Amino acid sequence: MNRLLSSLRDGKGFDIVLVTVPLLFLIALSGLPLIYNVVMSFQEVDMFSLGTFARPWVGFKNYIAVFSAPETWPIMRNTAVFVVCSIAGQFLLGFGLALFFTQKFPGASYIRGLFLASWVMPGLVVGAIWNWILAGDFGVLNYVLKSIGIISENIFWRSDTNWSLWAVIIANIWLGTAFNMILLAVGLAGIPRDLYEAAELDGANGWQRFWTITLPMMRATIGAVISLGLIFTLQQFDLFAAITSGGPANSSNVAQYWAWEQSFRQYDFAKGSTISVVMIAVVMIASVIYVRSTRHEVRG
Amino acid sequence: MSAQPQIELVDIDKHYGSFHALKNINLSIPKGQFVALVGPSGCGKSTLLRSLAGLESITGGTMKIAGEVMNGVPPRKRDVAMVFQSYALYPHMTVEQNLTYSLRLKRVPKAEAKKAADEVAKTIGLQQLMHRYPRELSGGQRQRVAMGRAIIRHPKAFLFDEPLSNLDAALRVHMRKEIRALHDRLGATSVYVTHDQIEAMTMADHVVVMRDGVIEQQGSPLELYDRPATRFVGGFIGSPAMNFISGTVAADGQSIALELDGSGALPIGRGLEPGRKVTVGLRPEHVEVGPAAAAQITLPVAVVESTGSLTYLTTGGDPELTVVITGRSDIRAGQTVGLSIAPGRVHIFDPETDRAL
């Protein structure tokens, strides 16, 4: 006991304790459920076999069932549209705002802080706010679009199959822009000022400085922001639950919401976990890209 | 040398809010001259250089480069090149891309840009490094790339902002000569900011000493050394620094009674108003050490330091004086020595205004 205490005191072994605690935490709460989920996707699971781990092994039957279901490809397409459009919207708006706030003007940092309000809000609250904004008959968005003459008829964002996915995308862009802005602003702040001065003396105008200095210097940050965006967007669940519930007729359903629906609404746990495993594969690829892009930091 | 100066500054003023950074700066630089701006930190030398580059705006006065008024002209249209203290190399570009950046912006054909880069690389010895990234270079190599990036543009003027301060002492001495040689070879007009008076003295044709936003004195290096206009310039130029001693002009007007323990009268070889309070400046290398009997000043020696080629004596008492003797000396600490100085080498300043008399 004494030896243990003294080894803690002089630092030897303390580093191992520091690593062990989060490692155990990760294994218990992330690693094991992940493995359990993967195993489940190769088993036959029903309400009666839920309590046991020794279930009939069915090989790739669940995967075949998922990929032959008629709703699979529309939902995968929705997922792709949701991810690409959300990330594009969040990134472009976030980068624009980040560049805007690098300009020195009174209150710049204060106003930038206000933008974070959207990010700290729970997804369900954001969903509720956007439900009002997007409401077909009394929503503000319809009122604005009609007032400036872009639409002539009310759009029923949440119940029109042509628009339901876009209703969630718009809300998700609003939710994620601030996070993109902050990360990109940090990246911008890390570019040495004298590089811009040297480029200016070398004859570069503002546009050229952006393309030849800012963008290449931001490569690592942009890679990280987009990979994180991919991960967060694939995790986005609350907004679907709050705004469209994946409907109508699966028109706004995406893989992550579908997996939950299968497991906890249809109680088809095998199918739900199979969809999750497919998503794990996609997120893993994104994570690898993220880790690699942060490793290749280019700094003088 | 053409009649029209390459760089002409008339009554330049610069305020940062209530802080007056540059006060009434007048400076004219002929084509081909190497000018050093020197002074302690915060004296405004870097601000002046950055104003020349257009990176800072000036509040008043006229700034001309090659005869054109540059007030308000953005840096990219001034056709001046700057070498930064941090080098400011583009980290995501190879050496070759760093060199050709300005040419690529001007849409110079690729082959032509490459040829120019090769030529510059040959001038400054970078041929082997063209495909390296800045992070793979040593400090001295980065310094060369920064210079190459300036040279390739054939600018109207080169601006150097303490370019050697990140190098070690040996390399600094070497690069000093190299920069000066390059300047001569290119026939360039250069403005060089440094806080190191040795750099300024050894490199420049014309030295501008600044303090608190004002030009204290400008002239050739030896002019500044021989005839400092103020006590500040006297103390700043020359190493080790000039000794300053308070004194009073004696009744005959031809010598000064120094406020120094064990001192005699110091002949000055010219007439000053008797009884006037003055500050006397003596360069350590101008003081001669001899037997106490025949000397003008007799003082005990407190410290003897020898570097082999030079011996430094520091005297006891207040104020302490530094004396430099060429070669070696058998003087020991505690010994009393006699010091004398040629009347023509005595600098006399007004204690009120600090200006030379």
Side-chain angles (χ1 to χ4, degrees):
Chain A
M1 194 64 211
N2 233 347
R3 263 192 30 213
L4 185 72
L5 270 180
S6 72
S7 88
L8 276 183
R9 224 177 300 122
D10 63 20
K12 276 183 214 148
F14 187 57
D15 42 3
I16 296 173
V17 173
L18 282 181
V19 175
T20 309
V21 171
L23 213 60
L24 284 177
F25 182 86
L26 272 177
I27 289 172
L29 293 169
S30 295
L32 291 180
L34 209 76
I35 293 165
Y36 188 80
N37 188 58
V38 174
V39 170
M40 216 157 57
S41 73
F42 292 101
Q43 291 178 326
E44 193 180 292
V45 190
D46 55 36
M47 294 294 276
F48 302 101
S49 62
L50 253 189
T52 164
F53 191 56
R55 288 178 287 246
W57 191 262
V58 295
F60 283 96
K61 196 176 141 228
N62 291 324
Y63 288 86
I64 295 164
V66 164
F67 282 104
S68 58
E71 69 266 39
T72 304
W73 294 111
I75 287 175
M76 289 302 167
R77 206 189 122 263
N78 282 348
T79 312
V81 171
F82 178 71
V83 166
V84 169
C85 294
S86 293
I87 291 178
Q90 291 173 354
F91 175 75
L92 291 178
L93 285 176
F95 205 3
L97 284 170
L99 287 169
F100 176 69
F101 283 115
T102 56
Q103 311 298 315
K104 303 253 174 297
F105 58 89
S109 60
Y110 178 71
I111 299 171
R112 187 171 66 184
L114 284 183
F115 270 88
L116 281 182
S118 70
W119 188 53
V120 300
M121 261 193 254
L124 284 171
V125 175
V126 174
I129 294 169
W130 278 94
N131 277 343
W132 289 326
I133 298 174
L134 296 166
D137 27 26
F138 62 85
V140 167
L141 185 61
N142 276 339
Y143 175 77
V144 169
L145 291 178
K146 265 204 311 209
S147 306
I148 56 177
I150 289 181
I151 57 171
S152 53
E153 296 268 319
N154 278 344
I155 294 178
F156 285 81
W157 293 96
R158 296 163 54 211
S159 51
D160 187 327
T161 52
N162 292 319
W163 293 106
S164 54
L165 183 61
W166 292 99
V168 189
I169 292 175
I170 292 170
N172 192 36
I173 290 175
W174 185 84
L175 184 65
T177 294
F179 179 67
N180 277 251
M181 178 191 78
I182 289 298
L183 283 194
L184 292 166
V186 170
L188 285 175
I191 303 177
R193 269 237 52 85
D194 53 10
L195 288 189
Y196 287 108
E197 293 179 346
E200 227 178 323
L201 282 160
D202 269 345
N205 60 31
W207 184 248
Q208 289 166 324
R209 288 199 295 276
F210 178 76
W211 284 100
T212 59
I213 307 291
T214 309
L215 268 191
M217 291 297 287
M218 289 285 284
R219 232 181 66 185
T221 312
I222 291 172
V225 165
I226 289 185
S227 316
L228 280 179
L230 179 61
I231 292 164
F232 288 154
T233 320
L234 281 176
Q235 282 178 356
Q236 185 47 262
F237 176 85
D238 312 18
L239 288 179
F240 288 94
I243 298 177
T244 64
S245 303
N250 278 338
S251 63
S252 67
N253 209 352
V254 291
Q256 63 267 35
Y257 192 77
W258 190 37
W260 173 82
E261 229 180 13
Q262 290 303 319
S263 292
F264 301 107
R265 281 289 146 90
Q266 313 293 332
Y267 300 112
D268 189 345
F269 291 97
K271 199 171 175 188
S273 55
T274 307
I275 300 165
S276 309
V277 171
V278 174
M279 291 188 64
I280 289 170
V282 176
V283 174
M284 289 286 259
I285 295 169
S287 309
V288 169
I289 297 172
Y290 168 67
V291 170
R292 287 183 69 100
S293 75
T294 49
R295 205 189 300 156
H296 284 275
E297 293 272 290
V298 181
R299 288 284 139 85
Chain B
M1 225 177 259
S2 62
Q4 174 188 273
Q6 184 73 350
I7 295 173
E8 196 176 7
L9 306 178
V10 183
D11 299 335
I12 300 293
D13 262 296
K14 163 97 187 154
H15 296 262
Y16 287 109
S18 61
F19 178 63
H20 202 166
L22 296 175
K23 299 168 193 160
N24 206 25
I25 302 286
N26 285 285
L27 179 61
S28 172
I29 303 175
K31 200 174 162 73
Q33 202 173 48
F34 196 113
V35 173
L37 303 180
V38 64
S41 51
C43 71
K45 56 191 192 296
S46 279
T47 307
L48 184 58
L49 191 80
R50 290 171 58 82
S51 306
L52 260 174
L55 298 171
E56 304 274 351
S57 59
I58 48 174
T59 328
T62 314
M63 179 175 284
K64 284 188 191 171
I65 298 175
E68 279 175 70
V69 177
M70 285 295 163
N71 298 24
V73 173
R76 66 194 163 86
K77 294 192 172 152
R78 293 198 180 196
D79 194 18
V80 295
M82 186 154 161
V83 177
F84 290 81
Q85 181 174 3
S86 62
Y87 315 139
L89 301 182
Y90 310 123
H92 55 290
M93 299 183 198
T94 61
V95 169
E96 182 172 336
Q97 288 166 334
N98 263 284
L99 291 177
T100 56
Y101 181 70
S102 59
L103 303 180
R104 284 182 285 136
L105 288 174
K106 275 190 258 170
R107 307 205 183 288
V108 171
K110 247 191 184 149
E112 210 174 298
K114 182 158 176 16
K115 206 175 135 231
D118 286 341
E119 237 163 73
V120 168
K122 220 164 96 192
T123 320
I124 50 179
L126 287 172
Q127 297 105 308
Q128 310 306 317
L129 308 171
M130 290 299 258
H131 300 292
R132 295 246 195 117
Y133 284 92
R135 62 174 176 275
E136 302 163 336
L137 303 178
S138 70
Q141 291 167 335
R142 289 181 200 191
Q143 166 69 53
R144 276 165 213 269
V145 179
M147 303 235 301
R149 203 169 58 178
I151 293 168
I152 203 166
R153 290 174 42 202
H154 303 293
K156 294 202 181 96
F158 288 95
L159 309 178
F160 296 91
D161 189 5
E162 308 220 13
L164 303 184
S165 51
N166 287 343
L167 302 179
D168 62 62
L171 195 53
R172 197 150 56 209
V173 172
H174 175 74
M175 287 305 284
R176 209 153 81 187
K177 288 187 208 120
E178 211 165 291
I179 291 179
R180 179 64 220 215
L182 207 56
H183 166 93
D184 291 337
R185 195 153 9 122
L186 299 170
T189 307
S190 303
V191 183
Y192 188 104
V193 161
T194 177
H195 63 269
D196 180 351
Q197 56 97 14
I198 302 251
E199 254 173 47
M201 296 289 280
T202 51
M203 295 173 79
D205 303 311
H206 189 83
V207 177
V208 178
V209 181
M210 292 183 69
R211 182 167 71 144
D212 295 336
V214 180
I215 294 182
E216 284 266 322
Q217 189 179 2
Q218 49 177 308
S220 75
L222 294 183
E223 253 170 59
L224 298 191
Y225 179 85
D226 291 337
R227 287 186 295 282
T230 64
R231 176 182 167 156
F232 172 76
V233 175
F236 194 79
I237 302 288
S239 172
M242 190 182 265
N243 299 297
F244 293 104
I245 314 148
S246 300
T248 313
V249 179
D252 61 357
Q254 297 290 320
S255 63
I256 292 171
L258 298 174
E259 291 173 20
L260 203 62
D261 309 328
S263 68
L266 186 68
I268 52 175
R270 55 184 166 139
L272 279 174
E273 176 195 335
R276 180 171 183 170
K277 292 266 178 211
V278 294
T279 303
V280 172
L282 304 177
R283 292 208 180 273
E285 59 273 30
H286 291 164
V287 179
E288 280 158 45
V289 181
Q296 296 151 350
I297 308 168
T298 49
L299 280 172
V301 174
V303 182
V304 181
E305 296 159 302
S306 179
T307 63
S309 61
L310 295 173
T311 304
Y312 297 86
L313 305 184
T314 308
T315 63
D318 183 48
E320 44 181 51
L321 304 184
T322 308
V323 177
V324 178
I325 305 167
T326 313
R328 304 189 182 193
S329 164
D330 49 13
I331 295 170
R332 294 281 163 270
Q335 211 173 315
T336 299
V337 292
L339 306 175
S340 48
I341 186 159
R345 287 179 155 174
V346 176
H347 301 276
I348 303 165
F349 304 98
D350 184 320
E352 303 281 311
T353 64
D354 279 341
R355 303 206 68 82
L357 293 173

